[in-house]
Amino acid sequence: MMHMTFYWGKKVTILFDSWRTNSWAGYLLSLVVLFAVAAFYQYMEDRRVRFKILGRSKPSPAPGIGAPLLLPVAASRLGPPARFASAILFGVNSAIGYLLMLAIMSFNAGVFIAVVVGLAVGYLLFRSGGDEDLVVLENPCACA
């Protein structure tokens, strides 16, 4: 029977019928694996964003026209192999994210905590280095 509310316990089915835990050792090992996959998700997201930033170029605004608020990603300027690689990274990262979401839908509180803490630790290790995803330029015509 599938739980519809959060519960605590070592007996949980994660993603597949073959991934069931009946002992504390199996349960804890599963939590460690989910923690690692969640941290890996953040690592892959960092790689995808950095790959995307490599293709970014600063647009030069036309004379007399103010600078844009956000610099666009020059994905169309990347060659087909780079665009294909970017799409593959996005697909893999999306698949990992959805699998983590489905694992949380087991409604086991330990699984939920392992995934959320794994995401937080992964963000701390891989994505909190101060690099911004978007470059914001000064807008000379912004209304105050």
Side-chain angles (χ1 to χ4, degrees):
M1 182 177 126
M2 184 175 160
H3 290 270
M4 298 306 290
T5 59
F6 278 111
Y7 70 98
W8 291 95
K10 66 181 179 182
K11 293 186 178 187
V12 62
T13 301
I14 304 170
L15 296 178
F16 310 106
D17 284 334
S18 59
W19 189 357
R20 291 182 187 210
T21 62
N22 293 316
S23 66
W24 284 108
Y27 179 66
L28 293 176
L29 180 63
S30 294
L31 295 182
V32 169
V33 167
L34 288 170
F35 175 89
V37 170
F40 181 70
Y41 172 83
Q42 290 291 2
Y43 172 77
M44 289 295 292
E45 182 67 14
D46 177 64
R47 296 292 100 193
R48 186 183 68 81
V49 168
R50 288 183 187 273
F51 183 76
K52 196 174 183 182
I53 289 174
L54 288 176
R56 180 178 287 170
S57 65
K58 279 191 171 183
S60 56
I65 297 177
L69 289 176
L70 300 175
L71 293 176
V73 176
S76 61
R77 294 182 185 149
L78 294 176
R83 291 180 69 193
F84 183 72
S86 180
I88 293 293
L89 282 173
F90 178 79
V92 168
N93 208 39
S94 295
I96 293 170
Y98 282 119
L99 287 173
L100 288 171
M101 178 201 61
L102 289 172
I104 286 176
M105 289 178 63
S106 69
F107 288 103
N108 183 279
V111 170
F112 176 78
I113 290 170
V115 169
V116 170
V117 171
L119 289 171
V121 169
Y123 182 86
L124 178 68
L125 293 176
F126 304 116
R127 299 191 62 205
S128 66
D131 297 336
E132 296 295 328
D133 293 348
L134 296 174
V135 178
V136 178
L137 300 176
E138 186 177 327
N139 184 6
C141 61
C143 300

